[in-house]
Amino acid sequence: MAAKIISGTEIAKQIREEIKEEVKNLKEKYNVTPGLVTILVGENPASVSYVTGKQKTAKELGFYSVQDNQPADITEEALLTLIDKYNQDPLIHGILVQLPLPKHINENKVLYAINPDKDVDAFHPVNVGKLMIGEANYYPCTPFGIQQMLIRSGVQTDGAEVVVVGRSNIVGKPIAIMMAQKAKGANATVTICHTGTKNLAEHTRRADILIVAAGRPKAITADMVKEGAVVIDVGVNRIGMTSEGKAILCGDVDFDAIKEKASMITPVPGGVGPMTITMLMLNTVKAAKVANGIA
Ligand code: GUN
């Protein structure tokens, strides 16, 4: 039977409506407008497209939003000074530095310079540590989006076998930790697979919920998926250009074949991507509330 398609676009739209209401309420009741700055260093086309999407959404939701573009040859010191300026700015509640950064800049040094209270990406070690002990202020946006998709699609996670393919700091590791926590939309038995895994298919075939962030187009084929599994595809691979110059995207799973076998599957585009941006907005609203002592 063909799988139900989990539309990240639709779920994100619902959540954005909820955020819009909350932003309106914050303005009316407390005179607070959530403020987000996105810092882009250089002109990497994928990064430009991500940051443009984040800024567009922030504006649509009524945020105060600042796009700060810096040249690819900005010094590390100048970038750290810029971050400090936004750390001190009371109108800015969330700071996002788009990754990757040019090679001459130490990425960790930059991420560590962001005030953890304004770290809406949840990449600062303080926030990573809090996530680990079940005390998170912010969840990293992509894992947060994945978990919300599972919850809002009615997927049973309690006691489920979750297999994560990929061990990045942004997706693989945090989603594995989150799914193993004793919490709503979690409490699962989790396996993390990676490039060192000996027999990947042996693990993926056990998954009730398969979360793939491998960074390789069609890394997961239909024979690697259990009948009735829920498949979440985090991959965004640019495999060509349309005649109008738009990127052609594909995920990390063989969508056409797997949708005949899975019970639910996320598409690319229109799956995890729109959720990631929406969770960034949710984190920024939370940051604005925390900064203003609003529960
Ligand atoms: N580059 C790719 N994904 C992300 C993300 O979630 N946050 C930031 N800051 N950079 C990214």
Side-chain angles (χ1 to χ4, degrees), residues 6-145:
I6 303 179
S7 169
T9 306
E10 280 306 311
I11 300 172
K13 210 159 120 190
Q14 272 172 28
I15 300 175
R16 285 205 292 266
E17 285 308 312
E18 293 164 19
I19 298 175
K20 242 187 205 164
E21 269 306 298
E22 188 154 20
V23 171
K24 205 167 135 230
N25 191 39
L26 281 174
K27 276 186 195 170
E28 284 171 7
K29 261 199 179 149
Y30 303 98
N31 198 25
V32 167
T33 301
L36 173 71
V37 60
T38 48
I39 301 173
L40 175 65
V41 179
E43 291 171 357
N44 173 318
S47 294
V48 170
S49 143
Y50 289 139
V51 164
T52 306
K54 289 167 188 176
Q55 277 297 320
K56 184 169 165 269
T57 309
K59 286 201 175 81
E60 279 167 9
L61 296 182
F63 286 23
Y64 166 59
S65 64
V66 178
Q67 173 56 39
D68 194 326
N69 293 325
Q70 295 294 330
D73 62 355
I74 186 175
T75 63
E76 185 178 281
E77 198 190 350
L79 186 56
L80 293 172
T81 304
L82 186 69
I83 289 169
D84 197 47
K85 182 185 94 168
Y86 289 118
N87 277 341
Q88 310 299 330
D89 185 341
L91 296 180
I92 294 293
H93 306 108
I95 302 172
L96 181 140
V97 180
Q98 187 64 30
L99 303 179
L101 289 170
K103 294 268 179 292
H104 68 279
I105 297 176
N106 181 332
E107 217 159 78
N108 281 346
K109 211 166 160 187
V110 170
L111 297 178
Y112 296 3
I114 298 171
N115 176 347
D117 290 338
K118 296 193 177 190
D119 172 35
V120 284
D121 256 331
F123 291 167
H124 191 285
V126 164
N127 288 321
V128 176
K130 284 187 167 177
L131 178 80
M132 189 83 182
I133 60 170
E135 290 280 325
N137 291 336
Y138 304 115
Y139 294 104
C141 303
T142 300
F144 193 12

Side-chain angles (χ1 to χ4, degrees), residues 15 19 22 63 144 278-287:
I15 300 175
I19 298 175
E22 188 154 20
F63 286 23
F144 193 12
T278 301
M279 295 304 117
L280 174 69
M281 304 302 139
L282 210 51
N283 281 346
T284 306
V285 169
K286 180 156 191 203

Side-chain angles (χ1 to χ4, degrees), residues 53-281:
K54 289 167 188 176
Q55 277 297 320
K56 184 169 165 269
T57 309
K59 286 201 175 81
E60 279 167 9
L61 296 182
F63 286 23
Y64 166 59
S65 64
V66 178
Q67 173 56 39
D68 194 326
N69 293 325
Q70 295 294 330
D73 62 355
I74 186 175
T75 63
E76 185 178 281
E77 198 190 350
L79 186 56
L80 293 172
T81 304
L82 186 69
I83 289 169
D84 197 47
K85 182 185 94 168
Y86 289 118
N87 277 341
Q88 310 299 330
D89 185 341
L91 296 180
I92 294 293
H93 306 108
I95 302 172
L96 181 140
V97 180
Q98 187 64 30
L99 303 179
L101 289 170
K103 294 268 179 292
H104 68 279
I105 297 176
N106 181 332
E107 217 159 78
N108 281 346
K109 211 166 160 187
V110 170
L111 297 178
Y112 296 3
I114 298 171
N115 176 347
D117 290 338
K118 296 193 177 190
D119 172 35
V120 284
D121 256 331
F123 291 167
H124 191 285
V126 164
N127 288 321
V128 176
K130 284 187 167 177
L131 178 80
M132 189 83 182
I133 60 170
E135 290 280 325
N137 291 336
Y138 304 115
Y139 294 104
C141 303
T142 300
F144 193 12
I146 293 170
Q147 194 176 41
Q148 285 301 311
M149 283 176 117
L150 294 172
I151 292 172
R152 290 179 185 240
S153 304
V155 175
Q156 174 63 259
T157 58
D158 229 287
E161 289 281 344
V162 169
V163 176
V164 177
V165 182
R167 58 177 155 188
S168 71
N169 291 336
I170 294 183
V171 184
K173 280 188 242 175
I175 191 66
I177 299 291
M178 285 164 67
M179 294 309 295
Q181 300 279 13
K182 197 165 186 175
K184 186 180 166 198
N187 207 27
T189 302
V190 180
T191 305
I192 307 181
C193 298
H194 42 71
T195 48
T197 297
K198 282 217 175 89
N199 190 339
L200 179 61
E202 208 169 85
H203 294 284
T204 57
R205 273 189 217 116
R206 279 193 301 102
D208 300 314
I209 301 169
L210 180 59
I211 301 173
V212 187
R216 204 153 46 82
K218 300 192 181 176
I220 303 296
T221 48
D223 59 304
M224 299 167 80
V225 177
K226 183 168 82 174
E227 194 80 41
V230 174
V231 179
I232 306 289
D233 188 352
V234 187
V236 183
N237 303 290
R238 292 165 177 249
I239 52 167
M241 280 281 183
T242 65
S243 51
E244 296 93 50
K246 269 188 88 177
I248 301 170
L249 304 178
C250 96
D252 286 354
V253 316
D254 184 356
F255 180 85
D256 289 335
I258 294 174
K259 79 174 189 324
E260 301 304 325
K261 205 169 175 188
S263 62
M264 295 190 200
I265 187 166
T266 62
V268 176
V272 175
M275 292 298 290
T276 297
I277 297 186
T278 301
M279 295 304 117
L280 174 69
M281 304 302 139

